[in-house]
Amino acid sequence: EMQMVLINKNNEQRVRRMQQYRQDKGEDSQSVIFFEEPADVRNTGFLTYDYDDESKDDDQWMYLPALRKTKRIAASDKSGSFMGSDFNYSDLTSYNLGDYNYKLLKENDKVDGSDAWVIYSEPKNEDVKEETGYAKSVIWVRKDNYVVVRAKNWVHKSPDIKFFEFKDLQQIEGVWFPSEIKAQRRFGKEVVHQTILRQQNIRLNQNLEDSLLSQRRLEQDFEDIPESVFWLGLFLWAGTTVAQEESLDELLEGFGDS
């Protein structure tokens, strides 16, 4: 079960409830999100096929119940906002690591008391920036479990910066999950918009039917499905290059400022 809270700059909130299911297919993965509430988004569905082969583009489809139509998300649209949130469509698939250059900024940093590496990354070409929507990124990776716990992403062709935090990590059957993911879009120090994503009742190894993760199922009205919920696979650390104009302090600043 998932809850998405959208918060505008006037601190007005909209709350959405969803369920997500995910399964691995060899080296690939498939996931589907069904929106339950409120009424204006009920039965909206979002399906992702995430391919391990870096030469193959991931597939994403959005079902819009008002139009009774399924729309395939083109590569040129993946930098767009997912359902009015601060997450891009590109945030919902894994990035191709070979598309980026990297630089270790700090060997040791602290995030909520845990040791972390700080890594700077930048796409190798303009096409990747256009598709992901990010010009460069800085990520914080915990050393004890290799989980991304923070990310700072510079929005491509925009002065805005997005800040992501992965909070309240829990380990389920050996896999780490954040209970809460917070995304903030800022212009300077002003918070333009933010999204809080909460997850609960995460269950693994539920033997999902292949038909559940299909375009045909996406286009059916939402029904009660077994509560076999997986996590929202946000892969927010884009890779990057060594060309670096900002100081280290400028790259790392922003968390805790709101």
Side-chain angles (χ1 to χ4, degrees):
E1 298 173 4
M2 302 171 65
Q3 181 190 71
M4 178 186 286
V5 183
L6 309 177
I7 308 171
N8 66 19
K9 62 182 179 181
N10 297 320
N11 208 34
E12 297 168 333
Q13 298 187 9
R14 291 179 293 158
V15 180
R16 294 172 174 171
R17 289 184 59 244
M18 312 102 78
Q19 289 197 32
Q20 185 187 35
Y21 306 83
R22 173 173 166 156
Q23 69 176 359
D24 293 330
K25 300 287 287 185
E27 297 298 320
D28 303 329
S29 64
Q30 301 173 347
S31 66
V32 64
I33 298 173
F34 297 106
F35 284 79
E36 298 179 271
E37 295 178 355
D40 63 339
V41 297
R42 180 173 171 80
N43 294 325
T44 300
F46 181 67
L47 177 66
T48 297
Y49 287 177
D50 195 343
Y51 304 113
D52 181 66
D53 184 350
E54 293 192 358
S55 66
K56 188 175 182 180
D57 286 339
D58 298 329
D59 287 318
Q60 294 180 317
W61 299 269
M62 176 74 78
Y63 174 64
L64 305 171
L67 302 177
R68 291 286 178 181
K69 182 178 179 181
T70 297
K71 173 188 175 183
R72 186 178 184 276
I73 308 300
S76 58
D77 295 329
K78 291 184 178 179
S79 61
S81 167
F82 172 66
M83 292 294 289
S85 74
D86 296 282
F87 301 106
N88 295 350
Y89 291 104
S90 64
D91 293 328
L92 308 183
T93 63
S94 58
Y95 289 168
N96 296 329
L97 301 185
D99 287 342
Y100 303 87
N101 295 315
Y102 304 88
K103 181 178 181 180
L104 181 64
L105 293 181
K106 292 185 72 173
E107 178 70 33
N108 288 294
D109 201 2
K110 290 283 188 182
V111 178
D112 296 331
S114 298
D115 293 330
W117 293 289
V118 184
I119 301 169
Y120 173 81
S121 69
E122 186 174 314
K124 291 180 178 178
N125 58 62
E126 193 70 15
D127 288 345
V128 179
K129 294 180 182 180
E130 293 283 355
E131 182 171 334
T132 62
Y134 301 123
K136 60 187 177 185
S137 303
V138 174
I139 62 169
W140 283 254
V141 182
R142 264 180 51 167
K143 291 186 172 184
D144 58 344
N145 56 15
Y146 306 104
V147 173
V148 176
V149 289
R150 280 182 179 173
K152 181 178 178 181
N153 291 6
W154 281 256
V155 179
H156 186 46
K157 294 182 179 178
S158 170
D160 292 354
I161 300 175
K162 289 187 185 179
F163 295 80
F164 298 89
E165 293 185 89
F166 303 80
K167 310 290 288 184
D168 301 326
L169 295 183
Q170 55 179 318
Q171 191 176 33
I172 302 173
E173 298 184 31
V175 182
W176 288 94
F177 300 94
S179 298
E180 179 177 294
I181 303 170
K182 181 179 180 180
Q184 251 187 20
R185 186 175 183 128
R186 299 186 203 170
F187 176 74
K189 290 188 177 295
E190 178 188 4
V191 177
V192 178
H193 196 272
Q194 57 186 316
T195 302
I196 299 174
L197 192 64
R198 300 187 178 101
Q199 310 180 99
Q200 60 182 4
N201 297 334
I202 299 172
R203 301 181 185 181
L204 307 184
N205 303 314
Q206 297 297 304
N207 297 318
L208 301 178
E209 296 289 338
D210 288 345
S211 60
L212 179 62
L213 295 106
S214 66
Q215 288 189 64
R216 182 176 180 180
R217 179 62 188 84
L218 193 68
E219 296 172 354
Q220 298 174 10
D221 287 347
F222 181 83
E223 301 169 354
D224 290 333
I225 309 172
E227 296 179 355
S228 314
V229 183
F230 204 78
W231 66 307
L232 180 60
L234 294 171
F235 298 88
L236 295 166
W237 51 300
T240 6
T241 88
V242 186
Q244 187 178 316
E245 298 178 358
E246 297 91 344
S247 69
L248 181 59
D249 288 343
E250 288 174 322
L251 287 170
L252 303 185
E253 70 180 0
F255 287 96
D257 303 332
S258 56

